[in-house]
Amino acid sequence: MNSPSMNPNVAALTFRYEVQSSDIDALTHMVMGTGFFYPHEVTVAKELVEERLTRGKASGYEFVIAEQSGQLLGYTCFGEIACTQGSYDLYWIVVDKTQQKRGIGTALLQATEAQVRAMGGRRIYIETSARPQYEPTRAFYLRAGYHQAALLPEFYGPDDGKLIYERVL
């Protein structure tokens, strides 16, 4: 796996860890633009940004935002799982559709894993759909060192199971 600093596509990538009010529309538009998410999922993504802005760290939602030359390219949203010791959920990892396949997702995931480690995290869990559309996403998680920990058939709906991936840090 290439480190972000060695990949010329992400050499000028910078990360920030606090959301800004201007991120609400930009990140919502980015999620919608992927074409992967249902409208109610886009609403949830927006609400998590708003919750972080309103409640700060007390919201339980952490962010890593990737930028290049002032342009938002992608982000993650994650948080510690309640009633666990060092287990974290990665709720969202989204890269602008026009910026995909450049190593930005890998760089974001690595930056998120570093943040989780710094917060005392031991494990990261990622939930995703079993729909065929998500095959590239699932392959990405496997390449990044995650393994499939569970499959819940028809969790989201008919013919739409939930896969849970896990990585021990």
Side-chain angles (χ1 to χ4, degrees):
M1 187 166 19
N2 291 338
S3 91
S5 62
M6 296 181 73
N7 185 335
N9 290 325
V10 296
L13 200 61
T14 59
F15 298 102
R16 65 179 160 86
Y17 304 93
E18 289 298 328
V19 293
Q20 303 166 355
S21 58
S22 60
D23 293 333
I24 296 171
D25 289 338
L27 297 180
T28 302
H29 179 74
M30 187 182 301
V31 172
M32 284 179 12
T34 67
F36 270 59
F37 303 105
Y38 295 119
H40 66 275
E41 292 173 309
V42 174
T43 300
V44 169
K46 180 180 181 180
E47 288 171 351
L48 298 184
V49 178
E50 293 170 336
E51 183 76 6
R52 175 61 190 219
L53 283 168
T54 302
R55 297 187 60 223
K57 287 217 177 266
S59 70
Y61 301 116
E62 303 289 339
F63 287 81
V64 176
I65 299 170
E67 299 177 306
Q68 197 170 55
S69 302
Q71 179 186 1
L72 295 177
L73 302 182
Y75 81 101
T76 64
C77 176
F78 62 98
E80 188 170 17
I81 301 170
C83 301
T84 69
Q85 294 181 356
S87 292
Y88 282 72
D89 269 329
L90 178 62
Y91 303 115
W92 291 92
I93 181 167
V94 180
V95 175
D96 186 284
K97 188 171 186 163
T98 66
Q99 302 297 318
Q100 293 177 359
K101 308 284 187 214
R102 294 185 49 220
I104 296 166
T106 298
L108 271 166
L109 191 55
Q110 291 172 348
T112 300
E113 290 169 351
Q115 284 295 105
V116 169
R117 278 188 199 95
M119 299 166 119
R122 301 176 306 107
R123 296 175 183 266
I124 297 178
Y125 295 90
I126 304 172
E127 300 175 7
T128 193
S129 172
R131 291 184 305 184
Q133 174 182 5
Y134 283 84
E135 181 54 38
T137 303
R138 296 188 299 269
F140 168 76
Y141 296 142
L142 293 172
R143 284 191 312 274
Y146 288 75
H147 74 274
Q148 182 181 320
L151 166 62
L152 305 175
E154 300 201 358
F155 180 87
Y156 297 112
D159 298 320
D160 191 2
K162 173 165 78 170
L163 291 158
I164 301 172
Y165 289 84
E166 174 191 37
R167 179 156 189 206
V168 178
L169 300 176

